[in-house]
Amino acid sequence: MRVLVARQDNLGDVLLAGPAVRAVAGRADEVVLLCGPRGRAAADLLPGVDRVIEWRAPWIDPDRVPVERASIDGLVQDLRGFDRALILTSFHQSPLPLALLLRLAGTPWIGGISEDYPGSLLDLRHRPDTDVPEPLRMLALAEDAGFPSPADTRLRVRDPLPDTGHLTGGPGYVVVHPGTSVPARAWPPGHCAKAVRLLAEAGHRVAVTGHRDEKELTAHVAGEDGLDLGGRTTLPELASVLAGARAVVAGNTGPAHLAAAVGTPVVSLFAPTVPAARWAPFGVPLALLGDQRAPCRDSRARECPVDGHPCLASVGAEEVAAAVEVVAKAPPAAEGVPAR
């Protein structure tokens, strides 16, 4: 049985699909993951994935993507030969455009989560409970499609990860990741820098991580007290750095989910533009900080709609430093039991 699993958006979203992918892999002969370019690096890290198809979906990618016949025709050719397909989506996305292309490719059975009437595009129209953590929401679709859950439903990445001791000086440090892909989800840089100083004063080694486009930010946040790793890691190397940490401080962004996937506790600076019940780091000890009842709640805003960014600016560096001490000492979650 050849099964296509689709998750076409960002790095963190692809990581959250991991338990559902492993469920499918438990019964399928081959699992192919369809993802977009923003999630490709994460797709390569997921256990259970045999092959990856990368395609940028105009109905998913936040940038303006041209709809071109040649690109669509090429994808339809790549989608031929699958026995089943599961389309994993967020609550505000539709599986139906991809389902139509899968029908054109001859896929005989397709499952997805759809609030909209799917006509004959879906064989399984799954209707999940509201505010379920995103990994469990996708896993429920896989179960409804006949793929039992794995014994351990936590996030995972492939082993082995590269050795990054030459970057970090060995395990036992705290990671601060100040960047986010969406500005409305970012903790103010000055707060991040102060947290690095406080953690260093408390005796912690602190590593500051970030994308190569965030080098100016990571240099500012690291200052003289932290180790600036901005732009110095691939995604597998970042996973290794996070795995060696006692705790990770991050906003609602892909590396927070990557930290959860390697089992590291997270202090989450979480803007309530999307529900924390669905999108907070899953399956690890967690401190959830930020005003979850702020006026931006459930707005899905990319830019903060409230002057002063109060949902996160109100969180002090002292509160974050104290939360690090708590989560770093928390016991790990048991297999199959998500920590919240």
Side-chain angles (χ1 to χ4, degrees):
M1 179 170 55
R2 299 182 70 231
V3 181
L4 180 87
V5 179
R7 183 76 208 211
Q8 295 176 276
D9 35 13
N10 294 328
L11 182 152
D13 305 299
V14 172
L15 290 169
L16 293 173
V21 169
R22 299 201 310 274
V24 174
R27 287 199 169 175
D29 298 302
E30 181 185 22
V31 178
V32 176
L33 184 69
L34 172 64
C35 69
R38 297 172 185 269
R40 174 59 192 263
D44 290 333
L45 283 177
L46 286 188
V49 173
D50 297 303
R51 184 165 62 89
V52 176
I53 298 174
E54 179 183 326
W55 191 75
R56 193 178 181 198
W59 58 91
I60 297 289
D61 196 287
D63 293 333
R64 186 172 180 82
V65 180
V67 178
E68 299 174 339
R69 173 66 66 88
S71 177
I72 297 288
D73 290 346
L75 178 64
V76 170
Q77 282 297 120
D78 289 340
L79 296 179
R80 294 191 184 281
F82 290 101
D83 301 297
R84 309 187 91 188
L86 287 182
I87 306 173
L88 307 180
T89 51
S90 296
F91 68 98
H92 58 281
Q93 297 169 347
S94 173
L96 301 184
L98 179 59
L100 176 61
L101 300 185
L102 285 162
R103 289 297 190 211
L104 291 174
T107 307
W109 191 97
I110 304 169
I113 297 171
S114 184
E115 292 300 321
D116 297 323
Y117 173 65
S120 58
L121 293 179
L122 297 179
D123 298 282
L124 169 63
R125 181 191 184 189
H126 181 74
R127 308 291 290 275
D129 295 331
T130 58
D131 287 339
V132 174
E134 191 71 2
L136 298 184
R137 182 177 180 274
M138 290 184 277
L139 189 58
L141 171 61
E143 290 178 322
D144 206 6
F147 300 99
S149 292
D152 183 0
T153 61
R154 292 175 294 185
L155 308 187
R156 287 282 179 261
V157 294
R158 291 181 186 271
D159 290 325
L161 293 172
D163 182 4
T164 51
H166 62 289
L167 294 175
T168 63
Y173 43 86
V174 173
V175 167
V176 174
H177 187 90
T180 59
S181 61
V182 176
R185 300 178 186 176
W187 198 35
H191 290 43
C192 294
K194 185 175 180 181
V196 170
R197 292 195 299 273
L198 291 177
L199 290 166
E201 289 170 3
H204 295 285
R205 288 185 293 134
V206 184
V208 180
T209 56
H211 190 267
R212 61 179 177 273
D213 295 336
E214 299 170 334
K215 287 183 179 181
E216 185 175 341
L217 172 63
T218 59
H220 168 70
V221 170
E224 297 182 355
D225 299 296
L227 172 64
D228 180 11
L229 297 182
R232 298 178 61 188
T233 58
T234 63
L235 193 67
E237 288 170 335
L238 177 59
S240 177
V241 169
L242 298 176
R246 299 183 65 227
V248 173
V249 177
N252 178 18
T253 190
H257 300 302
L258 187 60
V262 295
T264 300
V266 179
V267 175
S268 175
L269 282 303
F270 199 97
T273 52
V274 295
R278 297 176 182 177
W279 294 103
F282 178 79
V284 291
L286 173 70
L288 186 72
L289 305 181
D291 181 4
Q292 300 304 299
R293 304 190 68 82
C296 64
R297 182 180 181 185
D298 295 339
S299 67
R300 301 209 304 269
R302 296 180 64 83
E303 301 285 344
C304 181
V306 184
D307 288 343
H309 198 26
C311 67
L312 292 183
S314 61
V315 180
E318 295 83 1
E319 187 177 356
V320 168
V324 166
E325 302 297 341
V326 173
V327 299
K329 296 174 183 175
E335 288 192 5
V337 180
R340 307 299 294 164

